[in-house]
Amino acid sequence: MRKFDAIIVGSGQGGIPLAKKLAKAGWQTAIIEKRWIGGTCINDGCTPTKSMIACGAAAHIIANSEEWGITVSDFKVDLEKIVARKNKVVQSFRQGNIKGLEKTEGLTIMYGEAVFSGDKTLTVTLKDGGQEEIAADHIFLNTGTLPTIPPIPGLDSVNYLTNTTIMELTKLPSHLIVLGSGYVGLEFGQLFRRLGCQVTIIDKNKQLLNHEDEDVAVAVRKVMEASGVTMVSSANVQKVEQTGDVIRLQLTANGETHAITGSHLLVAVGRTPQSKSLLPEKTGLKLDEKGYIPVNDKLETNVPGIYVIGDVKGGPAFTHISYNDYLVIYKNIINKENISIKDRPIPYCMFTDPQLGRVGMTEKEAKQAGYKIKIACLDMTRVARAIETGNTQGFMKAVIDSNTDKLLGVAILGPEGGEVMSVLQMAIIGGITVTQLKEMIFAHPLYSESINNLFMTLDR
């Protein structure tokens, strides 16, 4: 059995920098990856999806070019080339991560699947054959999640797609049915509609994006419908079947029974943690009722010396949170700091077009927390830059603490919404008041300049 100072299981966006930094700090470190270096973000998530969404945006501009006074008589979508472009970007990012790991002294890369076989001991079934038993006083789990497949009758006999396999298609679906209306479902739904497919999104909830304020959810729904996507809400899928190339869903929605048929089905109802396959009971590691690995504010599990990074611990499933997890762990262990994940800001962005950038409290959350609040809203039709570029869908919303004149949270549904949100995130962290933001000089005519106008609405 080989003994290391540290073992990282999984090479996601938190595991990779942690492995490198621990090795550079003099720790003999091993990182284990059962699939591809880079984790979900690079291989199945952010990198490939945003690469393909960029192609969808290009198709949308060409299809609507007459709005800008340019006529394109005809164009065609080559999905095979779009996928090849995506794969090239992914391969570039993945190879960059591999090179970074390989040149790090004191770091061992192991390709294989790890399971606990004893107290802080792992058995790794190597890809190139054989097994190896390794142990460490410090173990960091960065194993992430997999698509959730719901127990719908007949689904297991249907050729359904997941967020990973849909990006392997080389021929466009004639009618893509999307089961689930989270970020994955909405982003892929709009993408394939822009590429020329008929798209239907089925949502079990009455309100789209039920964790957002109702006005934000309604605005996002309008964006999707304006894209030509059919939205079905309050739906309960009772049965799925496939005959030849036709997939049929039987469902009830708003008290009525429906049947929807399509050529392809994307299952995007959520994620399941990759934890049980680790055999956590072998080292005394506890899971919650959903299979996530609970941690404290320092990312420590119930087993001293075992930590969790990223999605497998539950909570916000974003790459930037996984990266911040690494920073918290490294600073606490190596620098002997006392950093907590409690109350850290959780910014995020949904990459529909327009984007939805969000940080801080929603209006609903602020009211539930007992704040006395003011709400500032500005429609994108009143933003100079949006009018000039012809991108006026969406609106800006800010939740303000009336007692302090400071921001509690913002939602920016608009072009470059994530970038504008990031400006306001820094204002929240820096304690900048709404009055200061209203009077601040921004370069004209940026989208961020509309921050002035957003808070001027309070005067009216």
Side-chain angles (χ1 to χ4, degrees):
M1 181 172 67
R2 268 205 287 180
K3 184 73 183 288
F4 291 90
D5 297 312
I7 298 171
I8 293 98
V9 184
S11 64
Q13 296 305 291
I16 288 175
L18 180 62
K20 291 161 68 175
K21 289 296 285 288
L22 290 177
K24 289 176 182 178
W27 289 31
Q28 287 300 310
T29 304
I31 186 167
I32 307 164
E33 177 53 57
K34 72 175 182 179
R35 190 164 167 254
W36 292 322
I37 295 293
T40 297
C41 178
I42 285 178
N43 297 294
D44 309 294
C46 313
T47 299
T49 59
K50 280 47 182 180
S51 297
M52 292 185 71
I53 284 171
C55 299
H60 175 71
I61 291 172
I62 295 168
N64 296 275
S65 62
E66 289 188 5
E67 294 182 15
W68 290 273
I70 299 168
T71 300
V72 178
S73 58
D74 191 23
F75 74 96
K76 68 174 184 177
V77 173
D78 189 333
L79 186 58
E80 194 168 346
K81 285 188 176 180
I82 290 173
V83 171
R85 175 186 177 274
K86 176 263 297 183
N87 289 340
K88 184 177 180 181
V89 175
V90 169
Q91 188 68 17
S92 171
F93 281 31
R94 186 191 300 158
Q95 287 302 316
N97 276 280
I98 290 172
K99 288 179 181 178
L101 291 172
E102 289 179 341
K103 70 180 183 181
T104 302
E105 293 184 13
L107 178 58
T108 299
I109 307 171
M110 302 179 73
Y111 292 97
E113 186 162 4
V115 298
F116 283 105
S117 52
D119 182 26
K120 294 188 186 175
T121 302
L122 293 157
T123 297
V124 184
T125 301
L126 301 168
K127 275 188 177 181
D128 56 4
Q131 288 186 334
E132 185 167 356
E133 194 171 50
I134 59 176
D137 292 331
H138 291 83
I139 295 177
F140 306 91
L141 303 177
N142 184 213
T143 53
T145 58
L146 292 170
T148 297
I149 308 303
I152 299 173
L155 184 59
D156 57 354
S157 61
V158 169
N159 295 324
Y160 62 81
L161 300 165
T162 66
N163 68 294
T164 299
T165 57
I166 194 171
M167 292 188 291
E168 298 170 359
L169 295 177
T170 53
K171 292 185 179 179
L172 289 170
S174 58
H175 183 186
L176 174 65
I177 302 172
V178 181
L179 194 57
S181 62
Y183 285 17
V184 172
L186 294 177
E187 289 183 8
F188 275 120
Q190 188 185 55
L191 165 63
F192 278 88
R193 180 70 194 105
R194 287 182 160 188
L195 295 180
C197 308
Q198 181 182 350
V199 176
T200 300
I201 295 180
I202 298 172
D203 184 12
K204 70 177 182 179
N205 299 306
K206 182 179 180 180
Q207 177 185 306
L208 193 69
L209 300 174
N210 58 5
H211 55 283
E212 303 289 351
D213 284 328
E214 184 178 357
D215 54 354
V216 174
V218 168
V220 172
R221 185 186 183 97
K222 287 180 180 178
V223 165
M224 298 304 296
E225 290 176 338
S227 297
V229 175
T230 300
M231 305 294 298
V232 181
S233 300
S234 303
N236 177 30
V237 179
Q238 299 171 324
K239 184 180 179 182
V240 183
E241 56 189 3
Q242 183 169 357
T243 304
D245 294 331
V246 177
I247 296 174
R248 182 176 185 272
L249 278 72
Q250 183 177 313
L251 56 89
T252 57
N254 300 312
E256 297 181 0
T257 300
H258 300 267
I260 297 175
T261 58
S263 61
H264 295 71
L265 173 64
L266 169 63
V267 178
V269 298
R271 307 285 292 181
T272 297
Q274 295 194 80
S275 56
K276 293 181 181 178
S277 60
L278 289 168
L279 303 183
E281 64 277 5
K282 298 281 188 178
T283 194
L285 197 61
K286 293 180 181 178
L287 308 180
D288 68 13
E289 66 278 1
K290 293 184 178 180
Y292 292 103
I293 307 173
V295 296
N296 61 17
D297 292 342
K298 306 291 176 62
L299 300 170
E300 300 166 314
T301 67
N302 66 295
V303 179
I306 299 182
Y307 299 75
V308 182
I309 306 170
D311 301 358
V312 74
K313 69 179 184 301
F318 302 116
T319 288
H320 44 278
I321 297 302
S322 179
Y323 186 85
N324 186 255
D325 288 347
Y326 131 69
L327 289 174
V328 170
I329 286 174
Y330 180 82
K331 288 181 178 181
N332 285 341
I333 292 178
I334 300 299
N335 296 347
K336 307 302 180 184
E337 298 182 40
N338 188 31
I339 299 175
S340 168
I341 64 171
K342 188 177 181 181
D343 298 327
R344 63 181 171 181
I346 309 293
Y348 53 93
C349 185
M350 179 174 71
F351 287 85
T352 49
D353 185 7
Q355 298 171 4
L356 172 60
R358 276 272 297 109
V359 68
M361 289 185 174
T362 62
E363 177 182 355
K364 182 167 53 178
E365 289 169 342
K367 287 178 178 177
Q368 290 173 346
Y371 283 96
K372 182 182 178 182
I373 62 172
K374 297 183 290 185
I375 303 295
C377 286
L378 181 70
D379 198 89
M380 296 306 295
T381 58
R382 294 171 59 194
V383 174
R385 179 71 172 161
I387 296 168
E388 291 156 0
T389 59
N391 295 295
T392 56
Q393 286 184 305
F395 74 114
M396 305 171 69
K397 179 178 182 179
V399 183
I400 302 144
D401 185 342
S402 297
N403 294 326
T404 65
D405 196 38
K406 294 180 181 179
L407 286 172
L408 295 173
V410 296
I412 311 296
L413 177 64
E416 303 301 338
E419 308 294 346
V420 179
M421 174 273 292
S422 297
V423 173
L424 291 171
Q425 176 190 345
M426 289 189 281
I428 293 173
I429 294 172
I432 298 173
T433 67
V434 166
T435 301
Q436 288 174 305
L437 288 167
K438 182 176 68 173
E439 298 172 354
M440 191 171 291
I441 299 174
F442 293 97
H444 176 77
L446 295 176
Y447 287 114
S448 293
E449 184 195 24
S450 59
I451 291 171
N452 292 149
N453 292 24
L454 171 62
F455 296 115
M456 285 180 189
T457 63
L458 295 170
D459 299 333
R460 295 191 287 271

